[in-house]
Amino acid sequence: MDIIFYHPTFDTGFWLDKLHQALPQARVREWKPGDNDHADYALVWHPPVEMLSGRKTLKAVFALGAGVDSILSQLQKHPDMLPPGVPLYRLEDTGMALQMQEYAVSQVLHWFRRFDDYQVQKQQGVWNPLDDYTREEFTIGILGAGVLGGKVAESLVAWDFPVRCWSRSRKNYPNVESFAGQHELDAFLSGTRVLINLLPNTPETVGIINRQLLDKLADNACVINLARGVHLLEEDLLAALDSGKLKAAMLDVFSREPLPASSPLWTHPRVTITPHVAAVTRPVEAIAYISHTISSLDRGEIPAGQVDLKRGY
């Protein structure tokens, strides 16, 4: 079994060593330009087209992250990059769900307990206990109800918040109200106090968080974007904040990364920024998932995590 590996920023030596330990029967190597030798599996992140193009012996390609939009965008430009019939897998969880839960819960509680308002009062030298919010008025709406969205919903239900989700198909998560399809989007948005975005990046979801959508949220709503920057129209977000429709925004992803120094998001008093760190690939968990999936494929099984190339997730 031959495995080729490419990631522009990961510690390649560490990954190769751990992959050798997990799959001792495999020959694992770092892919470099000009390497056209035999490969059964490819582990990639933002791979060059030449790495995958023409490899008819590939049994599967693994994207080293939860998102696969970089590969899909290349496929649109170079349809022959991935040989027909070769399945594409993404890392469904591998420690990312827990990180997303930590991020979402910590920020929701920050707003719910009004710590943002107390910080403003602190800067003004004001001592003034504020009225508490009630959970009944603090409905959490999650855009995108896949593996990560479901786990985030589960963690917020544990804090007794009203939680709802919206996705392409209806879900059946315990104590989570499910909305599905474009015709139920308005009902999902109505009354939502905190909107958390965990949508996949597809042509249908680009720019979905715009002025029209934000206007349908509850007044003084808050937004957390944990998915992709292209989902959010930053100008519309700033306008909603400045008008008072939105109370705050927590952003981890942006249409341009790193976020340019000239972006007004940096200086807006009600925008909090993190540098795309909400959930990062954990090597130990990722390698365990990849080795298990490869073993399943070699046994002729069809494991979870395969990407529907038409849907984009």
Side-chain angles (χ1 to χ4, degrees):
M1 180 196 306
D2 291 297
I3 299 174
I4 50 177
F5 176 93
Y6 175 84
H7 196 293
T9 61
F10 279 179
D11 182 341
T12 298
F14 175 86
W15 275 77
L16 295 183
D17 180 61
K18 295 300 182 183
L19 285 165
H20 276 301
Q21 294 178 27
L23 295 165
Q25 76 279 19
R27 294 179 294 275
V28 187
R29 69 182 187 271
E30 179 186 8
W31 179 87
K32 296 181 178 180
D35 179 352
N36 297 312
D37 292 345
H38 178 271
D40 297 293
Y41 298 99
L43 282 50
V44 302
W45 189 250
H46 294 281
V49 173
E50 63 175 302
M51 177 182 181
L52 302 177
S53 183
R55 289 190 177 275
K56 298 180 180 179
T57 63
L58 280 178
K59 298 177 182 178
V61 174
F62 290 84
L64 297 173
V68 294
D69 38 297
S70 68
I71 296 177
L72 296 180
S73 63
Q74 286 178 305
L75 279 172
Q76 291 180 345
K77 301 174 184 176
H78 309 278
D80 59 344
M81 183 181 80
L82 195 62
V86 175
L88 174 64
Y89 286 85
R90 59 186 173 88
L91 304 184
E92 281 203 318
D93 186 345
T94 63
M96 294 183 187
L98 179 59
Q99 295 174 73
M100 287 292 190
Q101 288 175 322
E102 293 166 348
Y103 194 110
V105 170
S106 64
Q107 189 57 40
V108 168
L109 292 176
H110 182 84
W111 287 326
F112 179 67
R113 291 299 307 270
R114 306 195 67 171
F115 293 149
D116 55 332
D117 295 321
Y118 285 121
Q119 178 64 16
V120 171
Q121 289 190 171
K122 179 258 184 185
Q123 293 169 346
Q124 298 170 345
V126 173
W127 180 283
N128 178 37
L130 300 170
D131 292 337
D132 292 338
Y133 291 138
T134 65
R135 280 173 167 75
E136 291 74 20
E137 65 180 331
F138 223 76
T139 297
I140 315 297
I142 301 172
L143 279 173
V147 172
L148 296 179
K151 289 294 186 180
V152 168
E154 175 186 301
S155 66
L156 290 163
V157 165
W159 285 89
D160 292 329
F161 288 107
V163 180
R164 57 179 60 166
C165 65
W166 180 84
S167 56
R168 180 170 178 165
S169 58
R170 200 171 307 283
K171 306 300 181 183
N172 188 29
Y173 297 129
N175 301 310
V176 177
E177 188 177 9
S178 179
F179 297 80
Q182 193 65 35
H183 64 289
E184 293 187 0
L185 181 58
D186 285 0
F188 162 81
L189 296 169
S190 178
T192 291
R193 188 67 176 273
V194 178
L195 182 71
I196 302 175
N197 179 39
L198 282 165
L199 285 168
N201 181 11
T202 69
E204 292 78 20
T205 61
V206 171
I208 189 172
I209 305 177
N210 52 33
R211 183 185 298 270
Q212 291 73 30
L213 181 145
L214 296 172
D215 282 345
K216 294 170 183 174
L217 295 171
D219 289 342
N220 292 312
C222 302
V223 172
I224 303 176
N225 191 12
L226 301 176
R228 288 290 184 266
V230 295
H231 290 139
L232 172 68
L233 297 187
E234 295 171 0
E235 301 84 356
D236 289 3
L237 175 77
L238 289 167
L241 287 165
D242 291 339
S243 72
K245 175 63 181 179
L246 291 186
K247 185 172 186 284
M250 181 81 179
L251 308 178
D252 185 59
V253 289
F254 305 89
S255 55
R256 289 182 59 193
E257 295 184 2
L259 184 66
S262 60
S263 172
L265 293 171
W266 283 115
T267 55
H268 199 286
R270 286 182 285 136
V271 174
T272 304
I273 289 171
T274 52
H276 205 145
V277 295
V280 298
T281 301
R282 302 294 194 199
V284 173
E285 291 92 335
I287 290 169
Y289 165 78
I290 291 168
S291 60
H292 172 76
T293 304
I294 286 176
S295 298
S296 298
L297 288 167
D298 277 356
R299 292 193 300 267
E301 301 169 2
I302 302 177
Q306 183 173 346
V307 175
D308 185 322
L309 296 182
K310 293 183 179 179
R311 289 188 177 185
Y313 56 91

